[in-house]
Structures are given as C-alpha cells and as structure tokens.
Amino acid sequence: MRIGELAERAGTSTRTLRYYEARGLLPARRGANGHRTYDEDDLRLLRQIRVLQDFGFELEETRPFVDCLRAGHPAGDSCPASLAVYRRKLAELDELIGRLADVREQVARQLTDAEVAAGGNDRPACELNP
C-alpha cells in the first residue's frame, strides 16, 4: 500500500509517517516507481506505536516494541527490552500517582482550613460582609 492509504488506515498523517521513517521506526521501502510502499506489518507497527503513545509513552520509548514486532514476535511487548520499558513506565506512573496523592491531600487540608475559617458557611466571609 502507498503512504496515503497507510496514513488513512492508521488514523494519522503522511507527515507523521515520514517522521517515523526518519526516526527509523517505520521502514523506508520504495517500489520500482520510487513511491514508498508498506504492508500489513507496517500497519501493525503503527498501531502499536499509537496505543503506547495513547498510554503516555514517548516516541523513543516505543522503539523496543517496534523492534520486537520486526523480529517476528506476534506481540510487541513479548521481548525483554519491551518488558523493561513497561517496568520503567510503571515506576514513573507510581511516582506520579504518589505526588498527585500528596497534592490532593494538601488541597483537601486547605479546603478544610478555609471552611473552618468561613465558619462553615457555603459563602466565603468576604461575601457575607460587603
């Protein structure tokens, strides 16, 4: 298939596909006429990249999954390098969740303190005495 069809089927742009090609994530094959050509395996690579990016993975973090698929594995996450990326991402997410939990706790304390200061009114003290 040609680049336009691949872009359409993958739900992306031809510009994005050229960028992936330049980064070495998408193979740069050309037909006899000089046009880029792609197959179903390339579509599978793109879908893997899109899913991972939807999960918050950086483009470079998708490389081990792409390499795994290119090596002939049916799933891009069945190789040791892919598993290592999953582990790093989970650790990163756990850290972020911890920081967000701390911020939530601080905001909840601030709300409680503000409600106590307002005397339990739904309207802040600044609105009670104009």
Side-chain angles (χ1 to χ4, degrees), residues 13-75:
S13 68
T14 56
R15 182 177 181 192
T16 298
L17 298 183
R18 286 186 197 99
Y19 178 70
Y20 290 172
E21 182 181 305
R23 298 289 307 262
L25 292 169
L26 192 61
R29 291 185 305 272
R30 297 208 180 247
N33 58 6
H35 294 284
R36 290 173 172 88
T37 60
Y38 303 96
D39 58 24
E40 292 298 319
D41 288 338
D42 299 321
L43 181 59
R44 204 164 51 124
L45 291 176
L46 288 172
R47 288 183 175 150
Q48 178 79 66
I49 291 169
R50 296 267 321 229
V51 165
L52 292 168
Q53 287 193 304
D54 287 347
F55 289 163
F57 286 67
E58 298 293 326
L59 184 59
E60 195 55 37
E61 290 176 310
T62 69
R63 187 173 300 280
F65 299 86
V66 169
D67 292 344
C68 190
L69 286 170
R70 280 188 182 156
H73 296 274

Side-chain angles (χ1 to χ4, degrees), residues 58-99:
E58 298 293 326
L59 184 59
E60 195 55 37
E61 290 176 310
T62 69
R63 187 173 300 280
F65 299 86
V66 169
D67 292 344
C68 190
L69 286 170
R70 280 188 182 156
H73 296 274
D77 58 4
S78 60
C79 296
S82 303
L83 297 173
V85 172
Y86 273 154
R87 287 184 191 100
R88 279 194 309 271
K89 184 55 79 174
L90 279 175
E92 182 182 306
L93 290 170
D94 287 342
E95 180 183 332
L96 181 59
I97 289 168
R99 288 196 322 251

